[in-house]
């Protein structure tokens, strides 16, 4: 009786181990093949070569994980085969969402330094602009900087508002908006006759 229980226990461990390896390898292989197909990069010979190696490596892991339990018990092989098919279908159907999520995550990682630099630049530009609004000496010396009837000053206000909105939204268009704000402010300062050293 103890020998049967021990045999069942070992069989369950083999089934669990081989099943997890099989399901993981099939899902990873299908995801990798689908990811490359969705990316569509490379020439046709390169893609067929990559496809061969992806399938070969996936099969090198999946086939032993399926055959070892199947030789011990055909029912175990049938169960694992069904689990492998289910994981492959799930990976195929879920791969576009996963690829989009990974791409978005990579873009955010690349965008973060640009966003931080744009925030620092934006703060400097806002400080520069506030002088013309809050410092009485600058208001008297350069009244054109606060006169929104002038096209250059109106362009500064518009660019500043756009940069503020994109900053609050965390939008990817924020760094270019800060650049536009800086150019508009420089153009307004030049039109108001502010020397370059005083900016």
């Amino acid at each position: 009786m103890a020998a049967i229980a021990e045999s069942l226990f070992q069989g369950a461990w083999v089934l669990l181990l081989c099943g997890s390896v099989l399901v993981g390898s099939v899902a990873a292989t299908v995801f990798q093949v689908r990811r490359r197909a969705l990316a569509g990069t490379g020439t046709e010979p390169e893609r067929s070569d990559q496809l061969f190696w992806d399938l070969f490596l996936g099969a090198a892991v999946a086939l032993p994980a399926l055959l070892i339990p199947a030789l011990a018990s055909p029912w175990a092989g049938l169960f694992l085969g069904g689990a492998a098919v289910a994981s492959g279908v799930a990976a195929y159907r879920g791969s576009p969402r996963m690829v989009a999520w990974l791409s978005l995550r990579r873009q955010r990682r690349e965008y973060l330094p640009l966003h931080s630099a744009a925030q620092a630049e934006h703060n400097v530009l806002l400080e520069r602009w506030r002088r013309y609004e809050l410092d009485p000496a600058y208001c008297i010396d350069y009244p054109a900087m606060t006169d929104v009837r002038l096209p250059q000053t109106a362009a500064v206000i518009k660019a500043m508002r756009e940069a503020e909105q994109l900053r609050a939204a965390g939008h990817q268009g924020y760094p270019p908006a800060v650049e536009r704000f800086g150019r508009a402010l420089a153009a307004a300062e030049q039109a108001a006759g502010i020397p370059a050293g005083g900016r």
Side-chain angles (χ1 to χ4, degrees):
M1 189 70 175
I4 294 173
E6 186 178 337
S7 173
L8 286 174
F9 184 71
Q10 287 177 349
W13 272 111
V14 167
L15 189 65
L16 185 64
L17 178 66
C18 289
S20 60
V21 169
L22 176 66
V23 165
S25 65
V26 168
T29 302
V30 170
F31 174 76
Q32 185 67 10
V33 169
R34 183 92 159 123
R35 184 182 66 84
R36 289 190 197 275
L38 290 172
T41 55
T43 61
E44 190 58 40
E46 287 177 0
R47 289 200 339 224
S48 61
D49 191 43
Q50 289 172 343
L51 176 65
F52 168 77
W53 285 110
D54 289 339
L55 293 175
F56 176 77
L57 292 174
V61 175
L63 284 177
L66 177 63
L67 291 177
I68 291 170
L71 292 175
S73 167
W75 291 107
L78 188 62
F79 172 75
L80 289 178
V85 169
S87 71
V89 169
Y92 182 83
R93 293 186 65 181
S95 55
R97 284 191 303 268
M98 182 64 96
V99 167
W101 179 76
L102 290 172
S103 174
L104 182 65
R105 194 169 155 211
R106 186 182 67 248
Q107 286 174 356
R108 283 185 182 158
R109 230 183 6 251
E110 292 169 355
Y111 172 69
L112 234 95
L114 294 174
H115 187 77
S116 299
Q119 279 184 322
E121 178 66 20
H122 192 187
N123 291 336
V124 168
L125 292 172
L126 287 173
E127 271 308 306
R128 202 163 104 197
W129 170 255
R130 284 187 190 115
R131 286 185 313 186
Y132 303 115
E133 286 188 320
L134 303 176
D135 190 330
Y138 276 91
C139 288
I140 293 169
D141 291 343
Y142 308 109
M145 290 302 294
T146 54
D147 188 358
V148 292
R149 293 172 296 180
L150 298 173
Q152 294 88 355
T153 308
V156 171
I157 299 297
K158 182 180 176 185
M160 182 170 45
R161 187 178 300 133
E162 179 192 17
E164 283 291 337
Q165 289 170 347
L166 293 175
R167 179 182 196 168
H171 194 271
Q172 290 189 351
Y174 174 60
V178 172
E179 287 178 25
R180 288 191 294 275
F181 176 33
R183 286 196 301 269
L185 183 57
E189 287 172 333
Q190 187 177 10
I194 300 170
R199 295 179 192 173

